[in-house]
Amino acid sequence: MNRLTKTQFWFEFFLDGISLAAATGLSIFIFRFLFVRILDYSAHDWLMYCTTMALSYVFAFLGYHKPLDLKKRNRLREISNSIVNATIIYLTFAAFNIIAKNSITESRWLYLSSFIMFIAFSMINRYFLKRALTGRFTRSAYASIAGVITVSDMAEEMIEVLLDDWTIRVSGIALVDDLCRDGVFYDHFAECEENASKTGVSTATAVKRPDSVLDVPVVATGDNYLNWIRSAPLDEVYINVPYKDGSGVHDMIEELESMGITVHINVPALEKIVDDSNFNNINCKMYAGHPTATFAAAVHNSTLLAVKRFVDIVIGLFGCIASIPIILITAIPLLIESPGSLFFKQQRVGKNGRLFNIYKLRSMYPNADEMKKELMEQNKMEGLMFKMDNDPRITKVGRFIRKYSIDELPQFFNVVKGDMSIVGTRPPTVDEFEKYESRHKRRLSMRPGITGMWQVSGRSNIQDFEEVVKLDCQYIDNWSIALDIKLFLKTVKVVLKHEGAE
């Protein structure tokens, strides 16, 4: 999370929190003291009410918040975000209060009025926050003052990007064209002159420097940029110059670091790699004293992943307990029709290739694996998965429990163990995985789930494995807590209507 994202996150977190507190307080005042629609509840009830409200707010904000720059959010999106955010908070709040058996939840006046007021206050606060941050933060004392060291050909693109960041105030530019020759940057003017004399190219042929770039003044050149940095009030410096190795910029970086200034520098060796990459998610850190660039197809917030895991454990435990009576009732006809083991255990491939045993209620005859080899010619899936119409391996009771997804209930145990998640991607069998191409493995970069994008998209109607991969990768690239909630609710609808099940 960069500085802009962090600043926006905490401003929105505190302002929405104030909006929620104000909406709740005003609702209590109006309907407790003016219109007397709220009963006289105990101090314990009010304490539980406020506690669950705070927990719901933190849970919903961490899970739903999307780090989209304020400048890119229009009014329609702001209104939509405020309504959806309030709905998630109050649904979570209602669930917590029902579990806690808090009698205040009976007060519809308090619940409904605070919900409406929160949306209104949130929209007003976000409107003024957007104006304040994008219009005034850059000129405030809290903005980071930045300088730019670059060359004429690269200046405009660099400045344009920095001006989009409202947490930064670009105070000036140093154009160091005189120190660059043939793709090599020389930290000292004398070195550049010496190299020019050897190659027969004079530094006098340098491109004429403009007075400003996108209204940011050019305040220094190659022979005096250090004097400017020493005397100017700067928090950070962005260096964007062409160079073939680090020898040319080494002294510059060391000098700037010694002043206590944060230095950002381009790395030409990585530019082609990033340009050729389909994802452009890159992070650089020091490992064992070596600067190391980390590339990833998708980057997810570790805090939100921890929230996802916590929810998985809670729902998984509840699912295990709720499944016991259903499994016991189902076991009788299932074992009468097809004697053998009640549960089916199969090795599957989980996150990034980890092997685990998946558990289901057995819906097929005991010799199903041997029969599969004989039925491969009837596979209707294009690719690496197996599906067929009227599969003779499935028992009559098996068809019923598959229709209502009862056979999936033991997977709640896999969720509690940590092999799976409630929402995720489909875990492949080992024989499927062994036939994967490199690009197919990306669908395993998140923990597999009981349900997911493929399952709610009419899984029996999808007959192309590449479409399954596409849906799984789409889930991974766009993952959020809000998406998990959406897919979970869709799953409930699909199960109740038994759509796409075979």
Side-chain angles (χ1 to χ4, degrees):
M1 195 181 286
N2 58 32
R3 187 170 185 268
L4 183 148
T5 305
K6 286 181 180 178
T7 303
Q8 180 179 313
F9 176 89
W10 288 114
F11 267 112
E12 291 185 347
F13 180 82
F14 285 116
L15 280 179
D16 277 357
I18 292 171
S19 298
L20 184 61
T24 303
L26 187 58
S27 296
I28 293 172
F29 175 77
I30 293 174
F31 293 103
R32 177 72 183 89
F33 300 104
L34 296 183
F35 295 101
V36 194
R37 294 288 190 274
I38 300 176
L39 301 176
D40 189 15
Y41 297 104
S42 67
H44 177 268
D45 284 338
W46 283 114
L47 177 62
M48 184 63 68
Y49 184 91
C50 294
T51 302
T52 52
M53 176 63 82
L55 288 174
S56 302
Y57 173 67
V58 172
F59 175 81
F61 197 91
L62 290 177
Y64 177 72
H65 182 267
K66 296 180 180 178
L68 180 64
D69 187 2
L70 284 170
K71 284 187 175 181
K72 299 176 182 178
R73 292 202 321 223
N74 55 32
R75 288 185 182 180
L76 182 61
R77 182 168 286 185
E78 289 286 9
I79 294 171
S80 173
N81 281 357
S82 296
I83 294 173
V84 173
N85 189 38
T87 302
I88 293 174
I89 291 172
Y90 275 79
L91 286 176
T92 308
F93 176 57
F96 281 159
N97 274 295
I98 290 171
I99 294 172
K101 297 181 179 179
N102 192 335
S103 56
I104 298 182
T105 53
E106 299 171 0
S107 178
R108 294 186 295 273
W109 289 97
L110 174 59
Y111 195 87
L112 184 60
S113 62
S114 63
F115 172 73
I116 295 172
M117 288 184 190
F118 173 57
I119 293 175
F121 290 161
S122 178
M123 287 167 54
I124 293 170
N125 278 336
R126 285 175 181 243
Y127 171 77
F128 285 105
L129 174 66
K130 184 173 183 176
R131 288 173 64 91
L133 291 184
T134 59
R136 298 179 183 176
F137 191 92
T138 304
R139 300 189 298 273
S140 73
Y142 300 102
S144 177
I145 304 176
V148 178
I149 300 174
T150 185
V151 294
S152 299
D153 292 343
M154 305 168 73
E156 186 169 334
E157 184 180 6
M158 185 70 181
I159 298 301
E160 187 176 10
V161 171
L162 293 177
L163 291 179
D164 273 341
D165 188 337
W166 42 262
T167 65
I168 295 174
R169 180 165 74 250
V170 184
S171 65
I173 308 168
L175 290 180
V176 293
D177 299 71
D178 293 342
L179 300 183
C180 295
R181 281 293 175 270
D182 299 325
V184 178
F185 175 81
Y186 296 87
D187 187 44
H188 300 290
F189 192 80
E191 292 180 27
C192 188
E193 284 286 301
E194 182 181 349
N195 182 70
S197 64
K198 290 179 180 178
T199 58
V201 180
S202 172
T203 56
T205 62
V207 178
K208 183 180 179 181
R209 285 180 289 272
D211 296 328
S212 65
V213 177
L214 298 178
D215 295 328
V216 178
V218 175
V219 296
T221 58
D223 56 349
N224 65 355
Y225 75 91
L226 276 178
N227 293 331
W228 165 58
I229 294 173
R230 290 191 189 103
S231 60
L234 294 173
D235 299 309
E236 50 190 330
V237 170
Y238 288 82
I239 303 172
N240 191 27
V241 295
Y243 62 94
K244 292 182 178 178
D245 56 54
S247 60
V249 296
H250 175 270
D251 292 341
M252 178 196 291
I253 296 172
E254 197 171 67
E255 186 82 16
L256 298 181
E257 278 187 312
S258 69
M259 300 181 203
I261 296 174
T262 301
V263 183
H264 310 271
I265 184 166
N266 65 309
V267 184
L270 293 177
E271 288 175 4
K272 186 173 188 329
I273 298 175
V274 173
D275 287 342
D276 293 341
S277 172
N278 294 323
F279 307 105
N280 293 342
N281 293 314
I282 180 174
N283 186 31
C284 295
K285 288 185 179 180
M286 294 294 293
Y287 289 97
H290 301 286
T292 305
T294 302
F295 292 85
V299 179
H300 299 131
N301 187 299
S302 57
T303 302
L304 297 186
L305 289 175
V307 172
K308 177 180 172 70
R309 179 61 189 143
F310 173 76
V311 173
D312 282 342
I313 293 172
V314 172
I315 297 178
L317 289 172
F318 177 80
C320 286
I321 296 170
S323 298
I324 292 174
I326 301 174
I327 292 174
L328 291 176
I329 294 171
T330 307
I332 298 171
L334 193 152
L335 294 177
I336 290 175
E337 181 187 10
S338 175
S341 174
L342 174 62
F343 296 101
F344 171 71
K345 182 178 76 171
Q346 184 185 44
Q347 198 170 60
R348 293 288 185 99
V349 183
K351 183 178 179 181
N352 291 326
R354 293 171 175 82
L355 297 178
F356 71 97
N357 289 318
I358 195 171
Y359 298 96
K360 294 186 178 185
L361 284 177
R362 183 171 57 83
S363 60
M364 293 185 176
Y365 291 104
N367 61 339
D369 286 337
E370 288 75 15
M371 294 174 64
K372 178 181 176 182
K373 298 174 183 177
E374 301 173 5
L375 299 169
M376 285 301 293
E377 292 183 359
Q378 301 180 50
N379 184 14
K380 68 176 185 179
M381 286 291 291
E382 296 178 16
L384 307 180
M385 291 170 58
F386 177 83
K387 278 198 178 287
M388 65 173 291
D389 295 323
N390 301 316
D391 194 332
R393 300 174 301 161
I394 304 175
T395 65
K396 293 179 181 178
V397 177
R399 294 190 188 283
F400 174 83
I401 63 175
R402 282 190 169 206
K403 182 178 180 180
Y404 293 96
S405 299
I406 296 173
D407 62 319
E408 311 279 353
L409 293 178
Q411 290 178 41
F412 283 116
F413 178 64
N414 285 114
V415 172
V416 175
K417 281 181 61 184
D419 299 324
M420 297 178 67
S421 179
I422 297 298
V423 183
T425 60
R426 175 192 172 273
T429 60
V430 175
D431 60 328
E432 289 173 7
F433 178 71
E434 289 174 348
K435 300 172 185 175
Y436 271 17
E437 297 177 18
S438 298
R439 59 191 173 85
H440 294 147
K441 190 178 179 181
R442 191 165 87 83
R443 64 184 295 269
L444 302 177
S445 57
M446 282 191 77
R447 206 187 307 256
I450 296 178
T451 186
M453 196 82 77
W454 170 65
Q455 288 89 335
V456 301
S457 301
R459 60 184 185 270
S460 293
N461 298 322
I462 298 175
Q463 299 182 7
D464 188 351
F465 174 69
E466 295 298 336
E467 184 66 22
V468 176
V469 175
K470 180 182 177 182
L471 288 170
D472 283 342
C473 291
Q474 182 181 334
Y475 169 77
I476 293 169
D477 292 339
N478 298 286
W479 177 80
S480 68
I481 298 294
L483 179 59
D484 274 4
I485 294 172
K486 179 181 178 181
L487 293 175
F488 181 79
L489 294 176
K490 278 190 174 183
T491 301
V492 175
K493 177 185 174 184
V494 167
V495 171
L496 291 177
K497 291 187 175 182
H498 46 86
E499 298 172 349
E502 285 189 353

